[in-house]
mmCIF file with all atom_site columns, all heavy atoms in Angstrom:
data_model
loop_
_atom_site.group_PDB
_atom_site.id
_atom_site.type_symbol
_atom_site.label_atom_id
_atom_site.label_alt_id
_atom_site.label_comp_id
_atom_site.label_asym_id
_atom_site.label_entity_id
_atom_site.label_seq_id
_atom_site.pdbx_PDB_ins_code
_atom_site.Cartn_x
_atom_site.Cartn_y
_atom_site.Cartn_z
_atom_site.occupancy
_atom_site.B_iso_or_equiv
_atom_site.pdbx_formal_charge
_atom_site.auth_seq_id
_atom_site.auth_comp_id
_atom_site.auth_asym_id
_atom_site.auth_atom_id
_atom_site.pdbx_PDB_model_num
ATOM 1   N N   . ARG A 1 269 ? -15.413 26.536 37.896 1.00 0.00 ? 455 ARG A N   1
ATOM 2   C CA  . ARG A 1 269 ? -15.239 27.939 38.284 1.00 0.00 ? 455 ARG A CA  1
ATOM 3   C C   . ARG A 1 269 ? -16.582 28.664 38.386 1.00 0.00 ? 455 ARG A C   1
ATOM 4   O O   . ARG A 1 269 ? -16.637 29.898 38.448 1.00 0.00 ? 455 ARG A O   1
ATOM 5   C CB  . ARG A 1 269 ? -14.310 28.640 37.284 1.00 0.00 ? 455 ARG A CB  1
ATOM 6   C CG  . ARG A 1 269 ? -12.957 27.947 37.161 1.00 0.00 ? 455 ARG A CG  1
ATOM 7   C CD  . ARG A 1 269 ? -12.034 28.645 36.186 1.00 0.00 ? 455 ARG A CD  1
ATOM 8   N NE  . ARG A 1 269 ? -11.501 29.883 36.736 1.00 0.00 ? 455 ARG A NE  1
ATOM 9   C CZ  . ARG A 1 269 ? -10.490 29.948 37.598 1.00 0.00 ? 455 ARG A CZ  1
ATOM 10  N NH1 . ARG A 1 269 ? -9.904  28.830 38.024 1.00 0.00 ? 455 ARG A NH1 1
ATOM 11  N NH2 . ARG A 1 269 ? -10.058 31.119 38.040 1.00 0.00 ? 455 ARG A NH2 1
ATOM 12  N N   . GLY A 1 270 ? -17.673 27.894 38.370 1.00 0.00 ? 456 GLY A N   1
ATOM 13  C CA  . GLY A 1 270 ? -18.995 28.466 38.551 1.00 0.00 ? 456 GLY A CA  1
ATOM 14  C C   . GLY A 1 270 ? -19.497 29.282 37.381 1.00 0.00 ? 456 GLY A C   1
ATOM 15  O O   . GLY A 1 270 ? -20.379 30.130 37.538 1.00 0.00 ? 456 GLY A O   1
ATOM 16  N N   . LEU A 1 271 ? -18.945 29.042 36.196 1.00 0.00 ? 457 LEU A N   1
ATOM 17  C CA  . LEU A 1 271 ? -19.336 29.821 35.018 1.00 0.00 ? 457 LEU A CA  1
ATOM 18  C C   . LEU A 1 271 ? -20.231 29.046 34.055 1.00 0.00 ? 457 LEU A C   1
ATOM 19  O O   . LEU A 1 271 ? -20.531 29.525 32.966 1.00 0.00 ? 457 LEU A O   1
ATOM 20  C CB  . LEU A 1 271 ? -18.081 30.305 34.271 1.00 0.00 ? 457 LEU A CB  1
ATOM 21  C CG  . LEU A 1 271 ? -17.187 31.288 35.040 1.00 0.00 ? 457 LEU A CG  1
ATOM 22  C CD1 . LEU A 1 271 ? -15.919 31.575 34.244 1.00 0.00 ? 457 LEU A CD1 1
ATOM 23  C CD2 . LEU A 1 271 ? -17.943 32.576 35.325 1.00 0.00 ? 457 LEU A CD2 1
ATOM 24  N N   . ASP A 1 272 ? -20.617 27.837 34.448 1.00 0.00 ? 458 ASP A N   1
ATOM 25  C CA  . ASP A 1 272 ? -21.404 27.010 33.533 1.00 0.00 ? 458 ASP A CA  1
ATOM 26  C C   . ASP A 1 272 ? -22.825 27.522 33.339 1.00 0.00 ? 458 ASP A C   1
ATOM 27  O O   . ASP A 1 272 ? -23.540 27.059 32.440 1.00 0.00 ? 458 ASP A O   1
ATOM 28  C CB  . ASP A 1 272 ? -21.437 25.562 34.018 1.00 0.00 ? 458 ASP A CB  1
ATOM 29  C CG  . ASP A 1 272 ? -21.929 25.432 35.448 1.00 0.00 ? 458 ASP A CG  1
ATOM 30  O OD1 . ASP A 1 272 ? -21.530 26.252 36.285 1.00 0.00 ? 458 ASP A OD1 1
ATOM 31  O OD2 . ASP A 1 272 ? -22.715 24.502 35.716 1.00 0.00 ? 458 ASP A OD2 1
ATOM 32  N N   . THR A 1 273 ? -23.240 28.488 34.160 1.00 0.00 ? 459 THR A N   1
ATOM 33  C CA  . THR A 1 273 ? -24.566 29.088 33.972 1.00 0.00 ? 459 THR A CA  1
ATOM 34  C C   . THR A 1 273 ? -24.490 30.474 33.335 1.00 0.00 ? 459 THR A C   1
ATOM 35  O O   . THR A 1 273 ? -25.524 31.101 33.075 1.00 0.00 ? 459 THR A O   1
ATOM 36  C CB  . THR A 1 273 ? -25.305 29.207 35.320 1.00 0.00 ? 459 THR A CB  1
ATOM 37  O OG1 . THR A 1 273 ? -24.526 29.998 36.230 1.00 0.00 ? 459 THR A OG1 1
ATOM 38  C CG2 . THR A 1 273 ? -25.533 27.824 35.937 1.00 0.00 ? 459 THR A CG2 1
ATOM 39  N N   . ASP A 1 274 ? -23.281 30.956 33.079 1.00 0.00 ? 460 ASP A N   1
ATOM 40  C CA  . ASP A 1 274 ? -23.094 32.262 32.448 1.00 0.00 ? 460 ASP A CA  1
ATOM 41  C C   . ASP A 1 274 ? -23.508 32.161 30.976 1.00 0.00 ? 460 ASP A C   1
ATOM 42  O O   . ASP A 1 274 ? -22.947 31.360 30.217 1.00 0.00 ? 460 ASP A O   1
ATOM 43  C CB  . ASP A 1 274 ? -21.622 32.673 32.550 1.00 0.00 ? 460 ASP A CB  1
ATOM 44  C CG  . ASP A 1 274 ? -21.378 34.067 31.989 1.00 0.00 ? 460 ASP A CG  1
ATOM 45  O OD1 . ASP A 1 274 ? -21.534 34.236 30.763 1.00 0.00 ? 460 ASP A OD1 1
ATOM 46  O OD2 . ASP A 1 274 ? -21.016 34.961 32.755 1.00 0.00 ? 460 ASP A OD2 1
ATOM 47  N N   . PRO A 1 275 ? -24.480 32.945 30.525 1.00 0.00 ? 461 PRO A N   1
ATOM 48  C CA  . PRO A 1 275 ? -24.989 32.821 29.148 1.00 0.00 ? 461 PRO A CA  1
ATOM 49  C C   . PRO A 1 275 ? -23.892 33.003 28.090 1.00 0.00 ? 461 PRO A C   1
ATOM 50  O O   . PRO A 1 275 ? -23.886 32.287 27.084 1.00 0.00 ? 461 PRO A O   1
ATOM 51  C CB  . PRO A 1 275 ? -26.041 33.929 29.057 1.00 0.00 ? 461 PRO A CB  1
ATOM 52  C CG  . PRO A 1 275 ? -26.460 34.165 30.467 1.00 0.00 ? 461 PRO A CG  1
ATOM 53  C CD  . PRO A 1 275 ? -25.243 33.954 31.296 1.00 0.00 ? 461 PRO A CD  1
ATOM 54  N N   . ALA A 1 276 ? -22.995 33.966 28.318 1.00 0.00 ? 462 ALA A N   1
ATOM 55  C CA  . ALA A 1 276 ? -21.945 34.217 27.322 1.00 0.00 ? 462 ALA A CA  1
ATOM 56  C C   . ALA A 1 276 ? -20.992 33.033 27.223 1.00 0.00 ? 462 ALA A C   1
ATOM 57  O O   . ALA A 1 276 ? -20.598 32.621 26.121 1.00 0.00 ? 462 ALA A O   1
ATOM 58  C CB  . ALA A 1 276 ? -21.178 35.487 27.680 1.00 0.00 ? 462 ALA A CB  1
ATOM 59  N N   . VAL A 1 277 ? -20.618 32.467 28.369 1.00 0.00 ? 463 VAL A N   1
ATOM 60  C CA  . VAL A 1 277 ? -19.723 31.309 28.372 1.00 0.00 ? 463 VAL A CA  1
ATOM 61  C C   . VAL A 1 277 ? -20.419 30.110 27.745 1.00 0.00 ? 463 VAL A C   1
ATOM 62  O O   . VAL A 1 277 ? -19.821 29.365 26.947 1.00 0.00 ? 463 VAL A O   1
ATOM 63  C CB  . VAL A 1 277 ? -19.251 30.989 29.807 1.00 0.00 ? 463 VAL A CB  1
ATOM 64  C CG1 . VAL A 1 277 ? -18.481 29.667 29.840 1.00 0.00 ? 463 VAL A CG1 1
ATOM 65  C CG2 . VAL A 1 277 ? -18.387 32.121 30.346 1.00 0.00 ? 463 VAL A CG2 1
ATOM 66  N N   . ARG A 1 278 ? -21.669 29.886 28.093 1.00 0.00 ? 464 ARG A N   1
ATOM 67  C CA  . ARG A 1 278 ? -22.422 28.752 27.522 1.00 0.00 ? 464 ARG A CA  1
ATOM 68  C C   . ARG A 1 278 ? -22.531 28.877 26.009 1.00 0.00 ? 464 ARG A C   1
ATOM 69  O O   . ARG A 1 278 ? -22.408 27.884 25.282 1.00 0.00 ? 464 ARG A O   1
ATOM 70  C CB  . ARG A 1 278 ? -23.817 28.684 28.163 1.00 0.00 ? 464 ARG A CB  1
ATOM 71  C CG  . ARG A 1 278 ? -23.804 28.257 29.626 1.00 0.00 ? 464 ARG A CG  1
ATOM 72  C CD  . ARG A 1 278 ? -25.215 28.336 30.231 1.00 0.00 ? 464 ARG A CD  1
ATOM 73  N NE  . ARG A 1 278 ? -26.114 27.393 29.572 1.00 0.00 ? 464 ARG A NE  1
ATOM 74  C CZ  . ARG A 1 278 ? -26.250 26.115 29.942 1.00 0.00 ? 464 ARG A CZ  1
ATOM 75  N NH1 . ARG A 1 278 ? -25.540 25.635 30.951 1.00 0.00 ? 464 ARG A NH1 1
ATOM 76  N NH2 . ARG A 1 278 ? -27.105 25.333 29.320 1.00 0.00 ? 464 ARG A NH2 1
ATOM 77  N N   . ARG A 1 279 ? -22.759 30.102 25.535 1.00 0.00 ? 465 ARG A N   1
ATOM 78  C CA  . ARG A 1 279 ? -22.880 30.313 24.085 1.00 0.00 ? 465 ARG A CA  1
ATOM 79  C C   . ARG A 1 279 ? -21.561 29.985 23.390 1.00 0.00 ? 465 ARG A C   1
ATOM 80  O O   . ARG A 1 279 ? -21.550 29.316 22.351 1.00 0.00 ? 465 ARG A O   1
ATOM 81  C CB  . ARG A 1 279 ? -23.285 31.755 23.806 1.00 0.00 ? 465 ARG A CB  1
ATOM 82  C CG  . ARG A 1 279 ? -23.461 32.060 22.318 1.00 0.00 ? 465 ARG A CG  1
ATOM 83  C CD  . ARG A 1 279 ? -24.120 33.413 22.090 1.00 0.00 ? 465 ARG A CD  1
ATOM 84  N NE  . ARG A 1 279 ? -23.359 34.496 22.688 1.00 0.00 ? 465 ARG A NE  1
ATOM 85  C CZ  . ARG A 1 279 ? -23.727 35.166 23.769 1.00 0.00 ? 465 ARG A CZ  1
ATOM 86  N NH1 . ARG A 1 279 ? -24.848 34.867 24.396 1.00 0.00 ? 465 ARG A NH1 1
ATOM 87  N NH2 . ARG A 1 279 ? -22.965 36.155 24.237 1.00 0.00 ? 465 ARG A NH2 1
ATOM 88  N N   . ARG A 1 280 ? -20.439 30.402 23.967 1.00 0.00 ? 466 ARG A N   1
ATOM 89  C CA  . ARG A 1 280 ? -19.138 30.128 23.342 1.00 0.00 ? 466 ARG A CA  1
ATOM 90  C C   . ARG A 1 280 ? -18.772 28.645 23.435 1.00 0.00 ? 466 ARG A C   1
ATOM 91  O O   . ARG A 1 280 ? -18.153 28.092 22.522 1.00 0.00 ? 466 ARG A O   1
ATOM 92  C CB  . ARG A 1 280 ? -18.075 31.008 23.983 1.00 0.00 ? 466 ARG A CB  1
ATOM 93  C CG  . ARG A 1 280 ? -18.287 32.486 23.686 1.00 0.00 ? 466 ARG A CG  1
ATOM 94  C CD  . ARG A 1 280 ? -17.314 33.366 24.433 1.00 0.00 ? 466 ARG A CD  1
ATOM 95  N NE  . ARG A 1 280 ? -15.951 33.233 23.925 1.00 0.00 ? 466 ARG A NE  1
ATOM 96  C CZ  . ARG A 1 280 ? -14.902 33.805 24.501 1.00 0.00 ? 466 ARG A CZ  1
ATOM 97  N NH1 . ARG A 1 280 ? -15.071 34.529 25.605 1.00 0.00 ? 466 ARG A NH1 1
ATOM 98  N NH2 . ARG A 1 280 ? -13.703 33.655 23.987 1.00 0.00 ? 466 ARG A NH2 1
ATOM 99  N N   . LEU A 1 281 ? -19.153 28.003 24.519 1.00 0.00 ? 467 LEU A N   1
ATOM 100 C CA  . LEU A 1 281 ? -18.925 26.558 24.619 1.00 0.00 ? 467 LEU A CA  1
ATOM 101 C C   . LEU A 1 281 ? -19.749 25.811 23.576 1.00 0.00 ? 467 LEU A C   1
ATOM 102 O O   . LEU A 1 281 ? -19.282 24.818 22.997 1.00 0.00 ? 467 LEU A O   1
ATOM 103 C CB  . LEU A 1 281 ? -19.285 26.063 26.021 1.00 0.00 ? 467 LEU A CB  1
ATOM 104 C CG  . LEU A 1 281 ? -18.273 26.369 27.122 1.00 0.00 ? 467 LEU A CG  1
ATOM 105 C CD1 . LEU A 1 281 ? -18.848 26.034 28.493 1.00 0.00 ? 467 LEU A CD1 1
ATOM 106 C CD2 . LEU A 1 281 ? -16.968 25.595 26.891 1.00 0.00 ? 467 LEU A CD2 1
ATOM 107 N N   . ALA A 1 282 ? -20.952 26.294 23.301 1.00 0.00 ? 468 ALA A N   1
ATOM 108 C CA  . ALA A 1 282 ? -21.784 25.666 22.271 1.00 0.00 ? 468 ALA A CA  1
ATOM 109 C C   . ALA A 1 282 ? -21.136 25.818 20.896 1.00 0.00 ? 468 ALA A C   1
ATOM 110 O O   . ALA A 1 282 ? -21.145 24.886 20.080 1.00 0.00 ? 468 ALA A O   1
ATOM 111 C CB  . ALA A 1 282 ? -23.185 26.287 22.274 1.00 0.00 ? 468 ALA A CB  1
ATOM 112 N N   . VAL A 1 283 ? -20.567 27.008 20.661 1.00 0.00 ? 469 VAL A N   1
ATOM 113 C CA  . VAL A 1 283 ? -19.856 27.221 19.395 1.00 0.00 ? 469 VAL A CA  1
ATOM 114 C C   . VAL A 1 283 ? -18.660 26.286 19.296 1.00 0.00 ? 469 VAL A C   1
ATOM 115 O O   . VAL A 1 283 ? -18.391 25.694 18.238 1.00 0.00 ? 469 VAL A O   1
ATOM 116 C CB  . VAL A 1 283 ? -19.407 28.694 19.267 1.00 0.00 ? 469 VAL A CB  1
ATOM 117 C CG1 . VAL A 1 283 ? -18.517 28.872 18.037 1.00 0.00 ? 469 VAL A CG1 1
ATOM 118 C CG2 . VAL A 1 283 ? -20.618 29.611 19.172 1.00 0.00 ? 469 VAL A CG2 1
ATOM 119 N N   . LEU A 1 284 ? -17.926 26.118 20.399 1.00 0.00 ? 470 LEU A N   1
ATOM 120 C CA  . LEU A 1 284 ? -16.782 25.214 20.404 1.00 0.00 ? 470 LEU A CA  1
ATOM 121 C C   . LEU A 1 284 ? -17.218 23.792 20.088 1.00 0.00 ? 470 LEU A C   1
ATOM 122 O O   . LEU A 1 284 ? -16.577 23.096 19.283 1.00 0.00 ? 470 LEU A O   1
ATOM 123 C CB  . LEU A 1 284 ? -16.089 25.269 21.773 1.00 0.00 ? 470 LEU A CB  1
ATOM 124 C CG  . LEU A 1 284 ? -14.922 24.295 21.983 1.00 0.00 ? 470 LEU A CG  1
ATOM 125 C CD1 . LEU A 1 284 ? -13.813 24.535 20.972 1.00 0.00 ? 470 LEU A CD1 1
ATOM 126 C CD2 . LEU A 1 284 ? -14.383 24.412 23.409 1.00 0.00 ? 470 LEU A CD2 1
#
Side-chain angles (χ1 to χ4, degrees):
R455 303 181 74 79
L457 295 174
D458 55 318
T459 58
D460 184 293
V463 172
R464 290 175 64 87
R465 181 169 58 252
R466 294 174 70 187
L467 284 171
V469 173
L470 176 60

